[in-house]
Amino acid sequence: MLPPSLEIAVYGLIVTPMLQLADKHGMLAELLAHGPLPSTDVAARIDADPDTVDRILLVLASAGLLHRDSAGAFAVDPAVAPYLDAAHPGYIGGFVKHMVDALEQLPRLERYLALGKRTVDADLPAPYDHFYQDDLSTAEFMSAMWSLSYDVSRELAELAALDGSKVLVDVGGASGPFSVAALEQNPRLRAIVFDLPNIRPHLESTRDKYGLTDRLEFAGGDFFADELPEGDVVAFGYVMSNWPDAECKQLLHKAFRACQPGGRVLVMERLFDDDRNGPLSTAVMNLTMQVETRGVHRTAAELVALLEDAGFTGCAVHRSGRDKHLVVGHRPAA
Ligand SMILES: C[S@@+](CC[C@H](N)C(=O)[O-])C[C@H]1O[C@@H](n2cnc3c(N)ncnc32)[C@H](O)[C@@H]1O
């Protein structure tokens, strides 16, 4: 037996794709709906090879995601069930697929090591040209962002205390995970999602699904080329982590201009601990940012420094119980 940290490093590589495969082929759905079930029953229900199903489920059970009873029947561990249940707001299936897809890009790190990111990326499409190369990859990216952000946004919207706010501008708001959470909690709030024009149908589909026709609108544009719509709250969820400091400062200066005097900016991000020794999720996503975007993850103090550079004052950090947190800055009243 290897030391536990090495065991995870060596064998964990296989666990994530197996989790995604079990999700994609309905094994988890069958266990959630009908478990405990022996692997032969799961295989019969999804019309798949029983031996392969058994091996996949044994990996997930050994990793602690499933329980296997003395009769050999599998059940999803109750602690992880909400995250693996597609009907639950906490479902992370889209994000797990995004992580498995990201593995394909990791070999590029070898070339970064030899030549540097700037040289290698010069021949590659810009990050969002890659994510949005066709309708399927755009839809998959939207699904990943929704599953990464909607559930925690319900907590972040509470931490943001939006009850007195009127217009939320959700910059890079994608199909609306934060806007929807904020609107659900604040019936008098209106939200504008500002994102690239091709995101419009995804936001409109969310708007219709959640019955928010009169309170959620889309504004298409390029946040580097265009000014932002005005509001008393300007939000950025997982936007700062896509870009280097210079671009973040540019966006936050725009946000300052778009934010009404007395209003606020909300930056919602993973945070590194102050000593940068973790958490693991932030360190891993900081690495994937290297191949997927031009950004980094930061400490709370680094984000506060970016906000202050743009003129925001009274900055405060509000930590959620999850891995996306809130940094708030105020535009002083005129
Ligand atoms: C990582 S996603 C974050 C989505 C969402 N805010 C969340 O927290 O899950 C970044 C978003 O920024 C948008 N974006 C990227 N470049 C942009 C640009 N130049 N102008 C406007 N939006 C852009 C993307 O389309 C995407 O929806």
Side-chain angles (χ1 to χ4, degrees):
M1 185 78 136
L2 295 168
S5 56
L6 200 52
E7 174 112 343
I8 289 170
V10 174
Y11 298 108
L13 172 71
I14 303 298
V15 177
T16 319
M18 291 311 100
L19 180 62
Q20 199 255 321
L21 215 53
D23 184 31
K24 178 180 173 186
H25 289 274
M27 296 175 216
L28 299 178
E30 293 297 339
L31 290 175
L32 285 161
H34 307 291
L37 290 174
S39 59
T40 44
D41 282 16
V42 175
R45 284 172 174 274
I46 63 167
D47 193 19
D49 175 57
D51 180 28
T52 308
V53 169
D54 189 57
R55 289 170 195 249
I56 291 171
L57 297 185
L58 282 171
V59 166
L60 299 181
S62 303
L65 298 166
L66 308 180
H67 292 303
R68 185 170 177 274
D69 66 22
S70 52
F74 293 91
V76 177
D77 175 35
V80 301
Y83 303 95
L84 302 182
D85 181 353
H88 191 279
Y91 175 64
I92 58 161
F95 178 59
V96 173
K97 176 164 189 333
H98 183 78
M99 293 297 279
V100 170
D101 291 347
L103 285 174
E104 288 170 19
Q105 297 193 55
L106 292 188
R108 201 175 334 125
L109 290 171
E110 289 263 20
R111 292 199 286 140
Y112 286 173
L113 287 171
L115 303 169
K117 176 174 167 65
R118 188 185 290 257
T119 307
V120 175
D121 283 2
D123 296 331
L124 296 175
Y128 282 90
D129 291 346
H130 170 76
F131 289 136
Y132 300 156
Q133 58 191 283
D134 54 37
D135 288 348
L136 177 63
S137 62
T138 306
E140 284 180 351
F141 187 78
M142 288 298 111
S143 163
M145 291 306 106
W146 186 274
S147 75
L148 192 58
S149 292
Y150 174 63
D151 202 27
V152 68
S153 287
R154 301 192 302 174
E155 196 180 337
L156 294 169
E158 270 181 38
L159 289 170
L162 295 164
D163 38 325
S165 305
K166 294 186 176 62
V167 179
L168 163 69
V169 180
D170 189 0
V171 185
S175 61
F178 180 69
S179 287
V180 170
L183 293 174
E184 284 177 329
Q185 288 173 19
N186 299 280
R188 286 192 295 278
L189 186 67
R190 207 161 61 76
I192 305 168
V193 165
F194 180 89
D195 209 303
L196 293 167
N198 64 313
I199 301 308
R200 176 184 290 279
H202 299 277
L203 188 276
E204 290 182 347
S205 153
T206 307
R207 187 192 61 192
D208 296 346
K209 178 176 171 188
Y210 285 84
L212 294 166
T213 319
D214 49 349
R215 294 200 293 137
L216 178 58
E217 66 184 90
F218 183 80
D222 174 347
F223 52 44
F224 292 120
D226 303 317
E227 287 299 310
L228 303 176
E230 288 184 11
D232 53 345
V233 181
V234 182
F236 295 89
Y238 288 147
V239 171
M240 296 298 129
S241 48
N242 284 182
W243 306 102
D245 283 2
E247 279 85 343
C248 291
K249 286 180 182 175
Q250 186 188 348
L251 293 177
L252 288 167
H253 278 268
K254 276 189 185 177
F256 190 87
R257 292 196 291 277
C259 185
Q260 286 159 9
R264 293 177 295 158
V265 67
L266 312 179
V267 170
M268 292 166 285
E269 287 289 347
R270 294 173 191 280
L271 296 175
F272 265 118
D273 296 341
D274 294 344
D275 61 8
R276 292 183 90 78
N277 281 333
L280 175 65
S281 55
T282 301
V284 165
M285 294 311 291
N286 186 53
L287 182 77
T288 66
M289 288 301 107
Q290 178 79 337
V291 287
E292 290 187 342
T293 71
R294 294 177 47 219
V296 291
H297 282 293
R298 298 176 172 89
T299 64
E302 286 169 335
L303 285 175
V304 166
L306 290 174
L307 263 58
E308 288 177 346
D309 178 84
F312 292 104
T313 59
C315 297
V317 180
H318 304 270
R319 289 179 192 265
S320 79
R322 307 276 293 273
D323 50 12
K324 191 176 193 181
H325 307 285
L326 170 67
V327 183
V328 183
H330 297 260
R331 175 170 170 167

